[in-house]
């Protein structure tokens, strides 16, 4: 595997204060691998690589992974639950598994979006190569207005590699995508590749002009209804990272970490010390913000 330039970000919410570039080999674990507690096999590093970036490593495999690094600097960048949904239990059972508050909130938001749109939800569904052309064109325009695109540069990709992957996946019937329109305007998109019966929560976004209507949550539930109805898939994988949206919709999860294994150089040691101190200070600030009830103010500052 080839090392790629990956930024180690000193980040406050969506805002990157600074970043240190390292040449790292990314070693991502699939949901199945994380659930089974597998330890990944590390590929050989070339001389230009600084180390590995391992994502979705089961948290209880931290020490074993550090030992497998053979004296490399082991640094845990984040802890999170990798959430997922069991798509084999049926849609009715799934809805019953959600909290009463989540069910009522989604029903209320869905009803509100439908009312604005003339009484019914206006959802477009895509899975063939020709349909993906339409989807990507519209979803890309939504993506350009999201904070992920503006602040993180992580909106819906439009590079040749992504487009080739999208079209080849659609040709193999291994992609599902959705658009939600509100009052005739495209408001939210969801793009999910499928591999081995697992549907991945890969690309998602909504137009901030519709924030008050929570179009992303409404589209998520509608998409899940479609996936349950197909009856072909085993799980919906929310991938790396935590978040309220994922916690609300998930039926289970695996405690995971993202770990760096870096060559034991002075520069890498200083980098991990700085990152560790920064991350601890951000965690303390978050706890203080929650204690003082300033979450909304902090959210505006981060974005």
């Amino acid at each position: 595997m080839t090392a790629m330039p990956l930024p180690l970000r000193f980040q406050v919410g969506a805002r990157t204060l600074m970043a240190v570039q390292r040449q790292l080999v990314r070693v991502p674990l699939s949901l199945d691998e994380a659930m089974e507690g597998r330890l990944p096999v590390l590929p050989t590093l070339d001389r230009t690589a600084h180390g590995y970036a391992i994502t979705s490593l089961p948290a209880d495999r931290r020490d074993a992974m550090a030992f497998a690094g053979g004296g490399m600097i082991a640094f845990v960048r984040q802890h999170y639950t990798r959430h997922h949904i069991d798509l084999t239990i049926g849609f009715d059972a799934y809805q019953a598994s959600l909290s009463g508050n989540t069910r009522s909130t989604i029903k209320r938001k869905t009803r509100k979006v439908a009312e604005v749109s003339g009484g019914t939800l206006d959802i477009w569904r895509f899975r063939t190569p020709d349909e993906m052309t339409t989807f990507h064109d519209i979803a890309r325009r939504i993506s350009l207005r999201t904070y992920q695109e503006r602040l993180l540069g992580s909106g819906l990709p439009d590079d040749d590699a992504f487009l080739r992957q999208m079209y080849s996946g659609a040709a193999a019937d291994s992609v599902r995508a959705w658009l939600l329109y509100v009052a005739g305007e495209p408001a939210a998109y969801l793009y999910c590749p499928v591999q081995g019966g697992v549907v991945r929560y890969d690309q998602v976004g909504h137009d901030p002009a519709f924030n008050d209507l929570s179009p992303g949550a409404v589209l998520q539930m509608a998409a899940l209804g479609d996936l349950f109805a197909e009856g072909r898939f085993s799980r919906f994988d929310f991938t790396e990272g935590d978040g309220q949206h994922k916690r609300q919709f998930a039926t289970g999860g695996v405690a995971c970490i993202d770990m760096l294994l870096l060559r034991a150089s002075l520069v890498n040691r200083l980098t991990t010390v700085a990152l560790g101190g920064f991350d601890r200070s951000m965690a303390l600030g978050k706890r203080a913000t929650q204690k003082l009830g300033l979450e909304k103010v902090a959210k505006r500052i981060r974005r």
Side-chain angles (χ1 to χ4, degrees):
M1 299 177 73
T2 304
M4 299 176 61
L6 293 176
L8 304 182
R9 292 188 174 93
F10 294 74
Q11 195 165 324
V12 181
R15 296 187 181 278
T16 298
L17 303 182
M18 63 173 291
V20 178
Q21 291 283 349
R22 299 282 87 183
Q23 292 287 333
L24 301 176
V25 174
R26 190 168 182 268
V27 184
L29 275 74
S30 69
L31 176 60
D32 285 344
E33 291 169 334
M35 293 179 69
E36 293 168 12
R38 296 187 200 174
L39 202 66
V41 176
L42 298 175
T44 302
L45 288 180
D46 62 39
R47 289 187 299 175
T48 63
H50 297 110
Y52 305 94
I54 305 164
T55 59
S56 287
L57 180 73
D60 60 4
R61 303 295 280 164
R62 178 196 179 281
D63 291 344
M65 193 75 257
F67 180 79
M72 299 183 79
I73 302 168
F75 179 74
V76 175
R77 192 68 214 268
Q78 64 173 333
H79 296 76
Y80 55 89
T81 299
R82 182 160 179 169
H83 297 285
H84 57 83
I85 298 170
D86 184 349
L87 294 176
T88 68
I89 61 176
F91 194 45
D92 290 342
Y94 169 67
Q95 290 179 300
S97 74
L98 302 176
S99 70
N101 181 61
T102 295
R103 288 197 303 272
S104 63
T105 299
I106 294 299
K107 286 181 181 178
R108 175 175 52 80
K109 290 177 177 178
T110 299
R111 186 167 57 248
K112 190 172 182 180
V113 169
E115 288 172 355
V116 174
S117 301
T120 59
L121 289 182
D122 187 4
I123 294 176
W124 297 16
R125 296 163 173 86
F126 308 85
R127 59 191 287 182
T128 69
D130 286 344
E131 291 170 348
M132 285 298 159
T133 298
T134 301
F135 165 79
H136 188 269
D137 179 60
I138 298 170
R140 180 63 188 153
R141 281 183 271 147
I142 298 173
S143 179
L144 290 172
R145 296 191 286 272
T146 65
Y147 84 89
Q148 292 96 331
E149 178 86 30
R150 291 184 290 103
L151 297 180
L152 299 177
S154 60
L156 182 70
D158 62 353
D159 57 274
D160 289 342
F162 176 82
L163 293 174
R164 284 195 301 270
Q165 187 178 56
M166 180 182 74
Y167 287 124
S168 64
D173 196 28
S174 296
V175 174
R176 298 291 182 272
W178 297 263
L179 285 170
L180 172 65
Y181 279 68
V182 176
E185 295 293 326
Y189 66 86
L190 177 61
Y191 173 86
C192 300
V194 182
Q195 184 173 13
V198 177
V199 183
R200 282 178 54 93
Y201 181 77
D202 217 44
Q203 299 290 335
V204 60
H206 71 270
D207 188 330
F210 297 98
N211 278 348
D212 292 344
L213 294 173
S214 301
V218 173
L219 181 58
Q220 177 75 67
M221 184 58 79
L224 288 172
D226 290 347
L227 295 173
F228 274 105
E230 282 200 57
R232 297 179 50 187
F233 310 114
S234 59
R235 284 185 292 274
F236 186 92
D237 176 15
F238 277 111
T239 69
E240 294 92 348
D242 205 345
Q244 182 180 1
H245 177 89
K246 298 180 180 184
R247 292 192 296 272
Q248 283 181 326
F249 284 94
T251 60
V254 184
C256 291
I257 58 175
D258 287 351
M259 172 184 275
L260 301 175
L261 285 177
L262 302 175
R263 294 188 189 276
S265 69
L266 178 60
V267 171
N268 287 337
R269 290 191 186 281
L270 292 175
T271 298
T272 56
V273 168
L275 282 170
F278 180 82
D279 289 347
R280 286 190 294 273
S281 67
M282 289 300 99
L284 287 172
K286 182 177 180 180
R287 287 196 291 271
T289 297
Q290 292 171 340
K291 187 175 181 180
L292 295 172
L294 298 175
E295 292 94 337
K296 290 184 179 179
V297 174
K299 185 176 182 179
R300 287 196 296 271
I301 293 172
R302 290 196 300 269
R303 291 191 180 182

